[in-house]
């Protein structure tokens, strides 16, 4: 989750996020931000420990559970389809990257304000036309400058 620091409210809750980088060789490399192998190892270790405790061998159960959970996690493809990302990223110029985000929930107005002027191109989205245009406008907008803060020396004069 991405949290807005000054108010403490959560802006975006992600289901999945991946960075696709087109290397100079033309190959597309996917960098997963969610590690399914680690999540599987933790879950498998817990269940293995629990089952191992029943059979009076908790360490063996935890070890086997973590190993099988990590294997299953590594073989599982959740979230955004890898082939879809590689297909879209193939159109990138070498050395450039694309960010793929699967959002569970977000505070739309605050996220669009935060994205203003960051640049970028929307390749594909499942947003309706109005929200997609709002996203495109936010990326292309000129960022608003932060309001100047008064220091103690400015207040005394």
């Amino acid at each position: 989750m991405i949290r807005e620091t000054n108010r403490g409210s959560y802006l975006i809750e992600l289901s999945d996020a991946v960075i696709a980088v087109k290397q100079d060789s033309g190959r597309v490399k996917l960098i997963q931000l969610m590690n399914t192998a680690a999540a599987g190892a933790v879950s498998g270790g817990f269940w293995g420990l629990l089952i191992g405790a029943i059979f009076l061998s908790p360490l063996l159960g935890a070890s086997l559970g973590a190993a099988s959970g990590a294997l299953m996690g590594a073989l599982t493809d959740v979230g955004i389809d890898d082939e879809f990302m590689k297909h879209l990223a193939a159109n990138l110029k070498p050395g450039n990257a694309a960010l793929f985000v699967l959002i569970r929930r977000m505070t739309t107005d605050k996220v669009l304000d935060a994205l203003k002027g960051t640049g970028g191109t929307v390749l594909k989205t499942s947003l309706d036309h109005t929200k997609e245009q709002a996203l495109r406008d936010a990326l292309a907008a000129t960022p608003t400058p932060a309001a100047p803060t008064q220091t103690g020396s400015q207040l005394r004069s």
Side-chain angles (χ1 to χ4, degrees), residues 128-141:
D128 64 43
H129 295 298
T130 306
K131 290 178 182 173
E132 182 179 338
Q133 190 57 48
L135 175 60
R136 290 179 193 276
D137 293 344
L139 291 172

Side-chain angles (χ1 to χ4, degrees), residues 65-106:
S68 62
L71 179 64
M72 291 304 292
L75 297 175
T76 302
D77 186 20
V78 295
I80 307 166
D81 181 50
D82 290 354
E83 289 304 314
F84 167 75
M85 291 183 286
K86 286 182 179 180
H87 176 72
L88 280 180
N91 296 325
L92 294 173
K93 294 178 184 171
N96 287 345
L99 174 64
F100 294 87
V101 181
L102 184 60
I103 298 173
R104 187 175 297 140
R105 284 188 295 248
M106 78 173 177

